[in-house]
Amino acid sequence: MAEEKPSLPADYVVPKVWEYKEQGGQFGGTNRPYAGAWGEDKPLPKGEHKIQLYSMGTPNGVKVTILLEELVELFPDFEYDAWLIPINGVQFTSGFHAINPNSKIPAMVDHSTDKPVRVFESGSILMYLCDKFDKDGVFLPKEYPARAEVQNWLMWQMGSAPFIGGGFGHFYNYAPVKIQYAIDRYSMETKRLLDVLDKHLGDGNKKRLRRQEALCL
Ligand SMILES: N[C@@H](CCC(=O)N[C@@H](CS)C(=O)NCC(=O)O)C(=O)O
């Protein structure tokens, strides 16, 4: 017999089979339990350069732009076009869905090859850009073990961000109801993750924080 636990709202009974109904809150209208190009049938714009970025200035988006700008600084021939994808529904258009079936920014297309290459997931984009353009391994070392440490922190960040942004930010700020348990749990985990970072940086690493670590953090 399952333990009786209180619900929030108090009259909420967990259904045997969960069914979708439109959620409230800032992202209620765009969150759905299925994937696909259910938005407008519209192609993405394309500029003159080989690299086309489709993104916006969120934490996941901006880390790709930071690397692109670093590459421009190191290699003046390196150029790219950046297109703003507002996440108010544009991420579900046919054009964006074709380059990221997960319908989240950032996403990128490399037109320098015979067949354009789509790249999605911010970490995957960072690794792709480094492998292709960071010839000297300034950001992502070519050899192990140095490469392993950068990958460790990159994967750590990728795995941690959903807790901080998707969990803490969502329940603390965007959710239509304030749920103490959710806020407590995500606040605790967010603080723990930031402490991991703080201890790493405080461990003598802050002074020698190199471009590689900046890539991940
Ligand atoms: N793991 C993905 C996460 C991307 C992500 O969550 N993007 C957010 C903005 S920061 C987004 O597109 N949200 C729109 C939505 O959820 O519909 C990555 O690192 O690229």
Side-chain angles (χ1 to χ4, degrees), residues 149-180:
E149 186 63 4
V150 176
Q151 287 181 178
N152 291 342
W153 285 105
L154 179 58
M155 297 304 148
W156 173 83
Q157 188 279 329
M158 296 296 292
S160 306
F163 255 93
I164 296 177
F168 173 72
H170 185 88
F171 286 111
Y172 189 82
N173 190 28
Y174 298 119
V177 55
K178 301 289 180 209
I179 305 167
Q180 184 187 349

Side-chain angles (χ1 to χ4, degrees), residues 58 60 87 91-92 103-106 121-122 158:
T58 68
N60 281 312
I87 53 174
Q91 70 271 38
F92 302 108
S103 295
K104 289 190 191 287
I105 63 98
E121 282 295 315
S122 55
M158 296 296 292

Side-chain angles (χ1 to χ4, degrees), residues 6 11 24 43 49 84 97-98 119 121 125 133 143 173 181 200 213:
D11 61 351
H49 298 113
L84 178 66
H97 179 262
V119 197
E121 282 295 315
I125 299 173
F133 300 104
E143 307 291 338
N173 190 28
Y181 179 78
H200 173 65
E213 286 173 338

Side-chain angles (χ1 to χ4, degrees), residues 108-123:
M108 190 184 85
V109 181
D110 177 3
H111 293 271
S112 69
T113 45
D114 289 346
K115 189 169 177 275
V117 179
R118 74 175 187 187
V119 197
F120 58 89
E121 282 295 315
S122 55

Side-chain angles (χ1 to χ4, degrees), residues 74-86:
L74 275 184
F75 309 106
D77 288 347
F78 179 83
E79 289 180 298
Y80 69 98
D81 291 309
W83 301 93
L84 178 66
I85 302 294

